Amino acid sequence: QVQLVESGGGLVQPGGSLRLSCVGSGSTFRFVAMGWYRQAPGKQRELVASIATGDTTNYVDSVKGRFTISRDNAKNTMFLQMNNLKPEDTAVYYCNRVYRPTWDWGQGTQVTVSS
């Protein structure tokens, strides 16, 4: 089973930026489409950005133009560059494969956007 570790979250003011990282163990990371998910209190976990093995990306409308997903398959690493953050972006962010079944979820990394 692939182990996923997210990092890079923190407290930031509205309009600020954060860069999240996801590191996966194992040898299958590079062969699957990956995504960043987030879960805010009282809400379901949602997929906000995805990236295919061929680097095709997709975003939910709420983050388009502000978030950029990328990956470095050689290092089993994925990133989420988040710019112009809004309070509505506050959530725990997770990485995982896009297709079901997902791997075991990591701890996630908390992103808090507040003035």
Side-chain angles (χ1 to χ4, degrees):
Q1 181 77 192
V2 173
Q3 296 180 30
L4 301 166
V5 180
E6 301 91 349
S7 63
L11 174 64
V12 64
Q13 294 184 341
S17 298
L18 286 172
R19 177 179 162 93
L20 307 184
S21 297
C22 167
V23 179
S25 66
S27 60
T28 61
F29 185 97
R30 64 181 297 176
F31 300 114
V32 300
M34 296 289 296
W36 282 98
Y37 302 75
R38 68 185 181 188
Q39 186 168 28
K43 296 184 178 181
Q44 293 184 317
R45 181 157 44 210
E46 65 170 340
L47 178 66
V48 298
S50 64
I51 183 167
T53 56
D55 292 342
T56 300
T57 59
N58 195 24
Y59 305 88
V60 295
D61 289 341
S62 60
V63 307
K64 285 182 178 178
R66 300 189 298 117
F67 291 9
T68 302
I69 187 172
S70 61
R71 66 193 299 169
D72 185 345
N73 289 330
K75 298 181 179 179
N76 286 346
T77 304
M78 185 174 63
F79 305 97
L80 185 67
Q81 178 67 47
M82 305 186 295
N83 298 324
N84 192 24
L85 284 162
K86 303 177 180 180
E88 306 89 86
D89 297 319
T90 296
V92 178
Y93 284 72
Y94 304 87
C95 61
N96 215 318
R97 60 186 290 173
V98 170
Y99 294 102
R100 273 61 177 174
T102 56
W103 293 315
D104 289 345
W105 297 96
Q107 294 279 9
T109 185
Q110 176 72 52
V111 172
T112 302
V113 185
S114 176
S115 60

mmCIF file of all heavy atoms in Angstrom, residues 3-10 17-25 29 34-37 68-72 75-82 92-96 106-111:
data_model
loop_
_atom_site.group_PDB
_atom_site.id
_atom_site.type_symbol
_atom_site.label_atom_id
_atom_site.label_comp_id
_atom_site.label_asym_id
_atom_site.label_seq_id
_atom_site.Cartn_x
_atom_site.Cartn_y
_atom_site.Cartn_z
ATOM 1 N N GLN A 3 2.016 4.832 0.898
ATOM 2 C CA GLN A 3 1.871 5.751 2.008
ATOM 3 C C GLN A 3 2.036 7.174 1.505
ATOM 4 O O GLN A 3 2.955 7.467 0.745
ATOM 5 C CB GLN A 3 2.896 5.451 3.095
ATOM 6 C CG GLN A 3 2.738 4.087 3.741
ATOM 7 C CD GLN A 3 3.770 3.827 4.813
ATOM 8 O OE1 GLN A 3 4.250 4.756 5.468
ATOM 9 N NE2 GLN A 3 4.127 2.571 4.990
ATOM 10 N N LEU A 4 1.155 8.045 1.944
ATOM 11 C CA LEU A 4 1.132 9.422 1.488
ATOM 12 C C LEU A 4 1.358 10.367 2.654
ATOM 13 O O LEU A 4 0.742 10.224 3.707
ATOM 14 C CB LEU A 4 -0.208 9.738 0.826
ATOM 15 C CG LEU A 4 -0.568 8.869 -0.382
ATOM 16 C CD1 LEU A 4 -2.033 9.037 -0.741
ATOM 17 C CD2 LEU A 4 0.320 9.228 -1.565
ATOM 18 N N VAL A 5 2.230 11.326 2.446
ATOM 19 C CA VAL A 5 2.546 12.306 3.474
ATOM 20 C C VAL A 5 2.417 13.699 2.883
ATOM 21 O O VAL A 5 3.130 14.046 1.939
ATOM 22 C CB VAL A 5 3.961 12.106 4.040
ATOM 23 C CG1 VAL A 5 4.253 13.154 5.109
ATOM 24 C CG2 VAL A 5 4.111 10.709 4.619
ATOM 25 N N GLU A 6 1.519 14.482 3.452
ATOM 26 C CA GLU A 6 1.297 15.851 3.009
ATOM 27 C C GLU A 6 2.002 16.824 3.949
ATOM 28 O O GLU A 6 2.094 16.577 5.151
ATOM 29 C CB GLU A 6 -0.200 16.175 2.978
ATOM 30 C CG GLU A 6 -1.030 15.275 2.067
ATOM 31 C CD GLU A 6 -1.587 14.052 2.776
ATOM 32 O OE1 GLU A 6 -1.175 13.771 3.920
ATOM 33 O OE2 GLU A 6 -2.449 13.370 2.180
ATOM 34 N N SER A 7 2.445 17.927 3.401
ATOM 35 C CA SER A 7 3.096 18.946 4.204
ATOM 36 C C SER A 7 2.961 20.301 3.518
ATOM 37 O O SER A 7 2.545 20.384 2.366
ATOM 38 C CB SER A 7 4.578 18.617 4.425
ATOM 39 O OG SER A 7 5.284 18.592 3.197
ATOM 40 N N GLY A 8 3.308 21.341 4.235
ATOM 41 C CA GLY A 8 3.329 22.676 3.673
ATOM 42 C C GLY A 8 2.192 23.579 4.091
ATOM 43 O O GLY A 8 2.183 24.765 3.740
ATOM 44 N N GLY A 9 1.233 23.046 4.822
ATOM 45 C CA GLY A 9 0.127 23.870 5.266
ATOM 46 C C GLY A 9 0.540 24.831 6.353
ATOM 47 O O GLY A 9 1.668 24.812 6.843
ATOM 48 N N GLY A 10 -0.392 25.681 6.720
ATOM 49 C CA GLY A 10 -0.120 26.651 7.757
ATOM 50 C C GLY A 10 -1.180 27.716 7.808
ATOM 51 O O GLY A 10 -2.225 27.616 7.159
ATOM 52 N N SER A 17 -0.085 33.069 -0.047
ATOM 53 C CA SER A 17 0.221 31.879 -0.831
ATOM 54 C C SER A 17 0.814 30.784 0.039
ATOM 55 O O SER A 17 1.458 31.056 1.057
ATOM 56 C CB SER A 17 1.218 32.208 -1.948
ATOM 57 O OG SER A 17 0.691 33.149 -2.859
ATOM 58 N N LEU A 18 0.590 29.559 -0.378
ATOM 59 C CA LEU A 18 1.191 28.392 0.241
ATOM 60 C C LEU A 18 1.517 27.383 -0.842
ATOM 61 O O LEU A 18 0.854 27.346 -1.884
ATOM 62 C CB LEU A 18 0.260 27.744 1.267
ATOM 63 C CG LEU A 18 0.066 28.435 2.616
ATOM 64 C CD1 LEU A 18 -1.038 27.738 3.396
ATOM 65 C CD2 LEU A 18 1.362 28.432 3.417
ATOM 66 N N ARG A 19 2.505 26.569 -0.582
ATOM 67 C CA ARG A 19 2.882 25.495 -1.490
ATOM 68 C C ARG A 19 2.842 24.188 -0.720
ATOM 69 O O ARG A 19 3.625 23.977 0.203
ATOM 70 C CB ARG A 19 4.275 25.735 -2.060
ATOM 71 C CG ARG A 19 4.811 24.634 -2.972
ATOM 72 C CD ARG A 19 6.189 25.022 -3.468
ATOM 73 N NE ARG A 19 6.975 23.921 -3.994
ATOM 74 C CZ ARG A 19 7.028 23.569 -5.266
ATOM 75 N NH1 ARG A 19 6.315 24.218 -6.167
ATOM 76 N NH2 ARG A 19 7.803 22.557 -5.656
ATOM 77 N N LEU A 20 1.928 23.332 -1.095
ATOM 78 C CA LEU A 20 1.778 22.043 -0.449
ATOM 79 C C LEU A 20 2.571 20.980 -1.191
ATOM 80 O O LEU A 20 2.698 21.026 -2.408
ATOM 81 C CB LEU A 20 0.307 21.625 -0.395
ATOM 82 C CG LEU A 20 -0.681 22.620 0.208
ATOM 83 C CD1 LEU A 20 -2.070 21.990 0.272
ATOM 84 C CD2 LEU A 20 -0.230 23.076 1.586
ATOM 85 N N SER A 21 3.068 20.024 -0.432
ATOM 86 C CA SER A 21 3.811 18.920 -1.009
ATOM 87 C C SER A 21 3.192 17.603 -0.584
ATOM 88 O O SER A 21 2.659 17.479 0.513
ATOM 89 C CB SER A 21 5.279 18.951 -0.565
ATOM 90 O OG SER A 21 5.933 20.120 -1.023
ATOM 91 N N CYS A 22 3.287 16.635 -1.445
ATOM 92 C CA CYS A 22 2.810 15.286 -1.180
ATOM 93 C C CYS A 22 3.884 14.321 -1.627
ATOM 94 O O CYS A 22 4.317 14.368 -2.781
ATOM 95 C CB CYS A 22 1.505 15.025 -1.934
ATOM 96 S SG CYS A 22 0.994 13.289 -2.004
ATOM 97 N N VAL A 23 4.293 13.462 -0.727
ATOM 98 C CA VAL A 23 5.294 12.453 -1.043
ATOM 99 C C VAL A 23 4.668 11.083 -0.861
ATOM 100 O O VAL A 23 4.084 10.798 0.183
ATOM 101 C CB VAL A 23 6.542 12.587 -0.159
ATOM 102 C CG1 VAL A 23 7.554 11.496 -0.497
ATOM 103 C CG2 VAL A 23 7.174 13.960 -0.342
ATOM 104 N N GLY A 24 4.797 10.253 -1.858
ATOM 105 C CA GLY A 24 4.251 8.915 -1.805
ATOM 106 C C GLY A 24 5.330 7.856 -1.863
ATOM 107 O O GLY A 24 6.297 7.996 -2.612
ATOM 108 N N SER A 25 5.151 6.831 -1.078
ATOM 109 C CA SER A 25 6.073 5.713 -1.106
ATOM 110 C C SER A 25 5.622 4.720 -2.166
ATOM 111 O O SER A 25 4.519 4.806 -2.699
ATOM 112 C CB SER A 25 6.139 5.042 0.268
ATOM 113 O OG SER A 25 4.896 4.446 0.597
ATOM 114 N N PHE A 29 3.267 5.281 -7.778
ATOM 115 C CA PHE A 29 2.880 6.684 -7.766
ATOM 116 C C PHE A 29 2.902 7.289 -9.163
ATOM 117 O O PHE A 29 1.966 7.987 -9.575
ATOM 118 C CB PHE A 29 3.813 7.452 -6.825
ATOM 119 C CG PHE A 29 3.464 8.897 -6.629
ATOM 120 C CD1 PHE A 29 2.724 9.311 -5.530
ATOM 121 C CD2 PHE A 29 3.891 9.855 -7.535
ATOM 122 C CE1 PHE A 29 2.420 10.646 -5.333
ATOM 123 C CE2 PHE A 29 3.591 11.194 -7.356
ATOM 124 C CZ PHE A 29 2.850 11.587 -6.246
ATOM 125 N N MET A 34 -3.177 11.597 -10.086
ATOM 126 C CA MET A 34 -3.197 12.014 -8.695
ATOM 127 C C MET A 34 -4.013 13.287 -8.524
ATOM 128 O O MET A 34 -4.244 14.037 -9.475
ATOM 129 C CB MET A 34 -1.773 12.260 -8.194
ATOM 130 C CG MET A 34 -0.886 11.025 -8.179
ATOM 131 S SD MET A 34 -1.377 9.847 -6.888
ATOM 132 C CE MET A 34 -1.065 10.815 -5.402
ATOM 133 N N GLY A 35 -4.424 13.518 -7.299
ATOM 134 C CA GLY A 35 -5.207 14.707 -7.040
ATOM 135 C C GLY A 35 -5.010 15.237 -5.641
ATOM 136 O O GLY A 35 -4.549 14.530 -4.745
ATOM 137 N N TRP A 36 -5.358 16.489 -5.482
ATOM 138 C CA TRP A 36 -5.422 17.121 -4.175
ATOM 139 C C TRP A 36 -6.879 17.243 -3.767
ATOM 140 O O TRP A 36 -7.708 17.732 -4.539
ATOM 141 C CB TRP A 36 -4.775 18.503 -4.186
ATOM 142 C CG TRP A 36 -3.277 18.472 -4.141
ATOM 143 C CD1 TRP A 36 -2.417 18.577 -5.185
ATOM 144 C CD2 TRP A 36 -2.476 18.334 -2.964
ATOM 145 N NE1 TRP A 36 -1.121 18.509 -4.743
ATOM 146 C CE2 TRP A 36 -1.121 18.367 -3.382
ATOM 147 C CE3 TRP A 36 -2.756 18.196 -1.611
ATOM 148 C CZ2 TRP A 36 -0.053 18.258 -2.481
ATOM 149 C CZ3 TRP A 36 -1.702 18.081 -0.717
ATOM 150 C CH2 TRP A 36 -0.371 18.113 -1.162
ATOM 151 N N TYR A 37 -7.159 16.808 -2.570
ATOM 152 C CA TYR A 37 -8.489 16.876 -1.991
ATOM 153 C C TYR A 37 -8.454 17.795 -0.785
ATOM 154 O O TYR A 37 -7.422 17.992 -0.175
ATOM 155 C CB TYR A 37 -8.963 15.494 -1.533
ATOM 156 C CG TYR A 37 -9.009 14.425 -2.593
ATOM 157 C CD1 TYR A 37 -7.844 13.823 -3.066
ATOM 158 C CD2 TYR A 37 -10.230 13.983 -3.105
ATOM 159 C CE1 TYR A 37 -7.886 12.820 -4.017
ATOM 160 C CE2 TYR A 37 -10.285 12.974 -4.058
ATOM 161 C CZ TYR A 37 -9.119 12.401 -4.502
ATOM 162 O OH TYR A 37 -9.165 11.395 -5.447
ATOM 163 N N THR A 68 -2.288 25.706 -8.691
ATOM 164 C CA THR A 68 -1.583 24.996 -9.742
ATOM 165 C C THR A 68 -1.066 23.676 -9.195
ATOM 166 O O THR A 68 -0.328 23.661 -8.210
ATOM 167 C CB THR A 68 -0.409 25.811 -10.296
ATOM 168 O OG1 THR A 68 -0.884 27.065 -10.802
ATOM 169 C CG2 THR A 68 0.273 25.048 -11.431
ATOM 170 N N ILE A 69 -1.453 22.591 -9.830
ATOM 171 C CA ILE A 69 -1.003 21.272 -9.423
ATOM 172 C C ILE A 69 0.134 20.825 -10.337
ATOM 173 O O ILE A 69 0.123 21.093 -11.538
ATOM 174 C CB ILE A 69 -2.168 20.259 -9.447
ATOM 175 C CG1 ILE A 69 -1.747 18.915 -8.851
ATOM 176 C CG2 ILE A 69 -2.719 20.082 -10.858
ATOM 177 C CD1 ILE A 69 -2.910 17.942 -8.675
ATOM 178 N N SER A 70 1.107 20.156 -9.766
ATOM 179 C CA SER A 70 2.227 19.649 -10.539
ATOM 180 C C SER A 70 2.752 18.389 -9.873
ATOM 181 O O SER A 70 2.391 18.074 -8.744
ATOM 182 C CB SER A 70 3.337 20.700 -10.669
ATOM 183 O OG SER A 70 3.843 21.066 -9.398
ATOM 184 N N ARG A 71 3.607 17.673 -10.577
ATOM 185 C CA ARG A 71 4.161 16.445 -10.019
ATOM 186 C C ARG A 71 5.564 16.221 -10.513
ATOM 187 O O ARG A 71 5.944 16.666 -11.603
ATOM 188 C CB ARG A 71 3.270 15.240 -10.367
ATOM 189 C CG ARG A 71 3.200 14.901 -11.852
ATOM 190 C CD ARG A 71 2.070 13.916 -12.148
ATOM 191 N NE ARG A 71 2.241 12.649 -11.452
ATOM 192 C CZ ARG A 71 1.302 11.711 -11.374
ATOM 193 N NH1 ARG A 71 0.118 11.912 -11.932
ATOM 194 N NH2 ARG A 71 1.544 10.580 -10.724
ATOM 195 N N ASP A 72 6.331 15.519 -9.709
ATOM 196 C CA ASP A 72 7.677 15.098 -10.051
ATOM 197 C C ASP A 72 7.714 13.600 -9.819
ATOM 198 O O ASP A 72 7.967 13.141 -8.706
ATOM 199 C CB ASP A 72 8.716 15.818 -9.202
ATOM 200 C CG ASP A 72 10.142 15.485 -9.606
ATOM 201 O OD1 ASP A 72 10.356 14.497 -10.340
ATOM 202 O OD2 ASP A 72 11.058 16.215 -9.187
ATOM 203 N N LYS A 75 10.584 11.680 -8.153
ATOM 204 C CA LYS A 75 10.719 11.804 -6.709
ATOM 205 C C LYS A 75 9.452 11.414 -5.968
ATOM 206 O O LYS A 75 9.348 11.644 -4.766
ATOM 207 C CB LYS A 75 11.113 13.233 -6.343
ATOM 208 C CG LYS A 75 12.456 13.666 -6.905
ATOM 209 C CD LYS A 75 12.798 15.086 -6.482
ATOM 210 C CE LYS A 75 14.156 15.502 -7.020
ATOM 211 N NZ LYS A 75 14.504 16.895 -6.631
ATOM 212 N N ASN A 76 8.497 10.831 -6.685
ATOM 213 C CA ASN A 76 7.221 10.442 -6.076
ATOM 214 C C ASN A 76 6.607 11.605 -5.304
ATOM 215 O O ASN A 76 6.127 11.441 -4.177
ATOM 216 C CB ASN A 76 7.399 9.236 -5.152
ATOM 217 C CG ASN A 76 7.608 7.946 -5.904
ATOM 218 O OD1 ASN A 76 7.380 7.860 -7.110
ATOM 219 N ND2 ASN A 76 8.042 6.915 -5.192
ATOM 220 N N THR A 77 6.618 12.756 -5.914
ATOM 221 C CA THR A 77 6.192 13.968 -5.241
ATOM 222 C C THR A 77 5.176 14.736 -6.084
ATOM 223 O O THR A 77 5.268 14.767 -7.315
ATOM 224 C CB THR A 77 7.397 14.872 -4.943
ATOM 225 O OG1 THR A 77 8.368 14.139 -4.182
ATOM 226 C CG2 THR A 77 6.982 16.089 -4.146
ATOM 227 N N MET A 78 4.233 15.344 -5.402
ATOM 228 C CA MET A 78 3.242 16.178 -6.043
ATOM 229 C C MET A 78 3.119 17.471 -5.264
ATOM 230 O O MET A 78 3.339 17.502 -4.046
ATOM 231 C CB MET A 78 1.889 15.458 -6.089
ATOM 232 C CG MET A 78 0.815 16.195 -6.854
ATOM 233 S SD MET A 78 -0.705 15.214 -7.025
ATOM 234 C CE MET A 78 -1.192 15.034 -5.311
ATOM 235 N N PHE A 79 2.763 18.533 -5.957
ATOM 236 C CA PHE A 79 2.702 19.845 -5.337
ATOM 237 C C PHE A 79 1.374 20.521 -5.645
ATOM 238 O O PHE A 79 0.712 20.235 -6.638
ATOM 239 C CB PHE A 79 3.834 20.738 -5.840
ATOM 240 C CG PHE A 79 5.197 20.151 -5.664
ATOM 241 C CD1 PHE A 79 5.812 19.484 -6.716
ATOM 242 C CD2 PHE A 79 5.870 20.262 -4.461
ATOM 243 C CE1 PHE A 79 7.073 18.939 -6.566
ATOM 244 C CE2 PHE A 79 7.130 19.719 -4.297
ATOM 245 C CZ PHE A 79 7.735 19.056 -5.343
ATOM 246 N N LEU A 80 1.022 21.438 -4.782
ATOM 247 C CA LEU A 80 -0.113 22.310 -5.025
ATOM 248 C C LEU A 80 0.297 23.722 -4.641
ATOM 249 O O LEU A 80 0.448 24.021 -3.455
ATOM 250 C CB LEU A 80 -1.345 21.879 -4.225
ATOM 251 C CG LEU A 80 -2.615 22.681 -4.510
ATOM 252 C CD1 LEU A 80 -3.098 22.419 -5.938
ATOM 253 C CD2 LEU A 80 -3.719 22.346 -3.517
ATOM 254 N N GLN A 81 0.490 24.554 -5.638
ATOM 255 C CA GLN A 81 0.784 25.952 -5.403
ATOM 256 C C GLN A 81 -0.529 26.700 -5.280
ATOM 257 O O GLN A 81 -1.337 26.693 -6.208
ATOM 258 C CB GLN A 81 1.615 26.529 -6.552
ATOM 259 C CG GLN A 81 1.936 28.008 -6.400
ATOM 260 C CD GLN A 81 2.858 28.281 -5.241
ATOM 261 O OE1 GLN A 81 3.869 27.604 -5.070
ATOM 262 N NE2 GLN A 81 2.506 29.272 -4.423
ATOM 263 N N MET A 82 -0.745 27.323 -4.156
ATOM 264 C CA MET A 82 -1.983 28.014 -3.874
ATOM 265 C C MET A 82 -1.699 29.501 -3.724
ATOM 266 O O MET A 82 -0.962 29.913 -2.825
ATOM 267 C CB MET A 82 -2.645 27.466 -2.611
ATOM 268 C CG MET A 82 -2.873 25.958 -2.650
ATOM 269 S SD MET A 82 -3.804 25.366 -1.206
ATOM 270 C CE MET A 82 -2.628 25.738 0.091
ATOM 271 N N VAL A 92 -8.471 20.871 5.599
ATOM 272 C CA VAL A 92 -7.364 19.934 5.628
ATOM 273 C C VAL A 92 -7.183 19.415 4.210
ATOM 274 O O VAL A 92 -8.143 18.947 3.590
ATOM 275 C CB VAL A 92 -7.612 18.770 6.594
ATOM 276 C CG1 VAL A 92 -6.445 17.791 6.563
ATOM 277 C CG2 VAL A 92 -7.819 19.295 8.009
ATOM 278 N N TYR A 93 -5.982 19.503 3.709
ATOM 279 C CA TYR A 93 -5.688 19.108 2.341
ATOM 280 C C TYR A 93 -4.996 17.752 2.316
ATOM 281 O O TYR A 93 -4.051 17.512 3.065
ATOM 282 C CB TYR A 93 -4.821 20.151 1.653
ATOM 283 C CG TYR A 93 -5.600 21.381 1.252
ATOM 284 C CD1 TYR A 93 -6.038 22.288 2.208
ATOM 285 C CD2 TYR A 93 -5.916 21.628 -0.086
ATOM 286 C CE1 TYR A 93 -6.776 23.403 1.850
ATOM 287 C CE2 TYR A 93 -6.646 22.742 -0.450
ATOM 288 C CZ TYR A 93 -7.073 23.635 0.523
ATOM 289 O OH TYR A 93 -7.805 24.747 0.153
ATOM 290 N N TYR A 94 -5.479 16.891 1.441
ATOM 291 C CA TYR A 94 -4.955 15.549 1.287
ATOM 292 C C TYR A 94 -4.576 15.296 -0.166
ATOM 293 O O TYR A 94 -5.146 15.893 -1.075
ATOM 294 C CB TYR A 94 -5.994 14.495 1.669
ATOM 295 C CG TYR A 94 -6.565 14.604 3.062
ATOM 296 C CD1 TYR A 94 -7.657 15.415 3.323
ATOM 297 C CD2 TYR A 94 -6.024 13.864 4.099
ATOM 298 C CE1 TYR A 94 -8.198 15.501 4.598
ATOM 299 C CE2 TYR A 94 -6.556 13.939 5.373
ATOM 300 C CZ TYR A 94 -7.643 14.758 5.618
ATOM 301 O OH TYR A 94 -8.184 14.836 6.878
ATOM 302 N N CYS A 95 -3.659 14.389 -0.359
ATOM 303 C CA CYS A 95 -3.363 13.923 -1.700
ATOM 304 C C CYS A 95 -3.720 12.448 -1.808
ATOM 305 O O CYS A 95 -3.714 11.719 -0.814
ATOM 306 C CB CYS A 95 -1.887 14.138 -2.067
ATOM 307 S SG CYS A 95 -0.686 13.267 -1.034
ATOM 308 N N ASN A 96 -4.049 12.026 -3.003
ATOM 309 C CA ASN A 96 -4.364 10.630 -3.237
ATOM 310 C C ASN A 96 -4.540 10.407 -4.738
ATOM 311 O O ASN A 96 -4.580 11.367 -5.511
ATOM 312 C CB ASN A 96 -5.624 10.199 -2.495
ATOM 313 C CG ASN A 96 -5.549 8.762 -2.008
ATOM 314 O OD1 ASN A 96 -5.091 7.875 -2.725
ATOM 315 N ND2 ASN A 96 -5.988 8.532 -0.769
ATOM 316 N N GLY A 106 -3.526 9.916 4.036
ATOM 317 C CA GLY A 106 -2.513 10.388 4.959
ATOM 318 C C GLY A 106 -3.113 11.266 6.025
ATOM 319 O O GLY A 106 -4.333 11.383 6.162
ATOM 320 N N GLN A 107 -2.254 11.912 6.794
ATOM 321 C CA GLN A 107 -2.723 12.796 7.862
ATOM 322 C C GLN A 107 -3.305 14.096 7.324
ATOM 323 O O GLN A 107 -4.097 14.748 7.992
ATOM 324 C CB GLN A 107 -1.569 13.115 8.818
ATOM 325 C CG GLN A 107 -1.043 11.920 9.598
ATOM 326 C CD GLN A 107 -1.901 11.594 10.803
ATOM 327 O OE1 GLN A 107 -2.995 12.137 10.988
ATOM 328 N NE2 GLN A 107 -1.403 10.710 11.644
ATOM 329 N N GLY A 108 -2.915 14.459 6.127
ATOM 330 C CA GLY A 108 -3.338 15.733 5.573
ATOM 331 C C GLY A 108 -2.525 16.872 6.166
ATOM 332 O O GLY A 108 -1.776 16.699 7.122
ATOM 333 N N THR A 109 -2.690 18.033 5.583
ATOM 334 C CA THR A 109 -2.030 19.214 6.110
ATOM 335 C C THR A 109 -3.048 20.345 6.204
ATOM 336 O O THR A 109 -3.818 20.587 5.276
ATOM 337 C CB THR A 109 -0.822 19.613 5.228
ATOM 338 O OG1 THR A 109 -0.119 20.707 5.824
ATOM 339 C CG2 THR A 109 -1.243 19.983 3.811
ATOM 340 N N GLN A 110 -3.072 20.997 7.339
ATOM 341 C CA GLN A 110 -4.072 22.023 7.617
ATOM 342 C C GLN A 110 -3.702 23.333 6.951
ATOM 343 O O GLN A 110 -2.590 23.840 7.119
ATOM 344 C CB GLN A 110 -4.212 22.233 9.124
ATOM 345 C CG GLN A 110 -5.171 23.356 9.515
ATOM 346 C CD GLN A 110 -6.618 23.000 9.275
ATOM 347 O OE1 GLN A 110 -7.087 21.955 9.716
ATOM 348 N NE2 GLN A 110 -7.338 23.871 8.574
ATOM 349 N N VAL A 111 -4.640 23.880 6.223
ATOM 350 C CA VAL A 111 -4.509 25.209 5.639
ATOM 351 C C VAL A 111 -5.565 26.097 6.267
ATOM 352 O O VAL A 111 -6.756 25.804 6.183
ATOM 353 C CB VAL A 111 -4.679 25.184 4.110
ATOM 354 C CG1 VAL A 111 -4.734 26.608 3.550
ATOM 355 C CG2 VAL A 111 -3.547 24.399 3.467
#
